[in-house]
Amino acid sequence: MYKLGLIGHPVQHSKSPEIHQYFLNVINANGKYELFDVMEEDLEYFLNELKHSDMNGVNVTIPYKEKVIPYLDEIDEHAQMLKAVNTIKRKGNKLIGYNTDGEGFIDSLRYTYPKFVKDIKDKTVLILGAGGAAKGIYFSLKKLNPKRIDIANRTKRKAENIVSENNHLVLALEEAEEKLYEYDLVIQTTNVGMEPDKDNQVIKLTHLNRGAIVSDIVYKPKMTKFLLNGKQQGARLLFGESMLWYQAAKSFKIWTDQSVEKHLKID
Ligand code: ATR
């Protein structure tokens, strides 16, 4: 019997229970994945209870990816560097923190566009946004050694704090919009375009090359205004939903030691 869940605020619209219930069925295990809408003043109490519970672990979402860190006993190297945790595993009375977001993104890219990843040393990448998700994706992508990874953000200082190579550029969003033809992959990581903000897009894709890949980590709606604009420009698309499935599979592996990657339901 696996006892799993998600802590955050708000959490009620999450797709994670459906995904993890499906994974439990795939491995033929009993279990449940519960939603815990935790207020900030109750976070310490919740994590202390978790430590002494029979739960296997939880996912962590907005706004607690950083805030849980002081209450954990161990943090894996990648999550430590990102200063953000999206998965907690209980081991005895210890809580261990991990982050599967960035690697989940890379897996979804590799699954959908294997040739692009194979040739990534010649590819130029632009990340839009400089929050926790952008940071995770930047560091996971960097391990693959693309030609360049630039970051554009509304607040340039935040992008400067992420970039760690001399040849990687920091841009304003307006600059990025004008120079889009330079990029082979554009990854949208801001919350612009997410329900109920679905009529907005962070930048226009007018100057994008045909055949570039456009990715949005927003998964509600599935076809964001940003992705639709990419499609109109002749781009190839990578949906937020596929990153969601892959990061979930990685969290599930941490808790259960079982691989479910072959069973993901991505269309
Ligand atoms: P997450 O952890 O999900 O990445 P986050 O850390 O809150 O979330 O980051 C949100 C990102 O969306 C940031 O890059 C933010 O830009 P700022 O750094 O300038 O705040 C970006 N963002 C949010 N609303 C935006 C908007 N209306 N226009 C442009 N960027 C926006």
Side-chain angles (χ1 to χ4, degrees), residues 62 129-134 153-155 158 173 189-192 202:
I62 291 169
N153 195 43
R154 181 176 60 179
T155 314
K158 278 213 235 162
L173 290 172
T189 74
T190 77
N191 23 23
V192 180
V202 69

Side-chain angles (χ1 to χ4, degrees), residues 199-217:
D199 296 327
N200 288 319
Q201 66 186 95
V202 69
I203 60 168
K204 294 229 162 45
L205 299 174
T206 319
H207 300 293
L208 192 72
N209 280 331
R210 291 186 76 77
I213 297 173
V214 172
S215 164
D216 197 331
I217 72 163

Side-chain angles (χ1 to χ4, degrees), residues 68-222:
V68 296
I69 289 178
Y71 308 113
L72 304 181
D73 300 288
E74 284 172 39
I75 300 174
D76 108 306
E77 206 182 330
H78 181 64
Q80 182 103 47
M81 188 199 35
L82 300 176
K83 297 191 187 69
V85 161
N86 80 334
T87 305
I88 299 174
K89 179 184 169 121
R90 184 189 61 83
K91 207 170 168 188
N93 288 338
K94 282 193 171 165
L95 299 182
I96 308 166
Y98 304 85
N99 196 313
T100 67
D101 284 336
E103 295 298 314
F105 174 82
I106 301 296
D107 279 1
S108 73
L109 180 65
R110 186 180 279 117
Y111 169 81
T112 317
Y113 299 110
K115 183 154 181 345
F116 181 91
V117 174
K118 198 167 152 272
D119 300 337
I120 202 159
K121 291 197 168 48
D122 305 317
K123 306 292 184 190
T124 312
V125 183
L126 175 69
I127 297 176
L128 300 169
K135 197 170 174 187
I137 290 172
Y138 177 85
F139 283 103
S140 293
L141 258 177
K142 214 172 82 142
K143 287 193 222 156
L144 301 181
N145 239 332
K147 196 159 128 197
R148 220 168 81 212
I149 315 171
D150 297 346
I151 306 184
N153 195 43
R154 181 176 60 179
T155 314
K156 274 175 95 174
R157 182 186 42 81
K158 278 213 235 162
E160 279 155 9
N161 289 340
I162 298 178
V163 161
S164 63
E165 298 286 327
N166 289 334
N167 68 327
H168 293 179
L169 308 176
V170 167
L171 309 171
L173 290 172
E174 302 72 27
E175 273 176 278
E177 200 167 63
E178 291 303 317
K179 289 172 60 175
L180 269 187
Y181 54 84
E182 290 191 8
Y183 300 97
D184 304 300
L185 168 63
V186 179
I187 309 162
Q188 184 330 88
T189 74
T190 77
N191 23 23
V192 180
M194 189 191 305
E195 299 265 24
D197 184 37
K198 61 180 172 25
D199 296 327
N200 288 319
Q201 66 186 95
V202 69
I203 60 168
K204 294 229 162 45
L205 299 174
T206 319
H207 300 293
L208 192 72
N209 280 331
R210 291 186 76 77
I213 297 173
V214 172
S215 164
D216 197 331
I217 72 163
V218 169
Y219 64 88
K220 260 188 187 165
K222 179 174 175 177

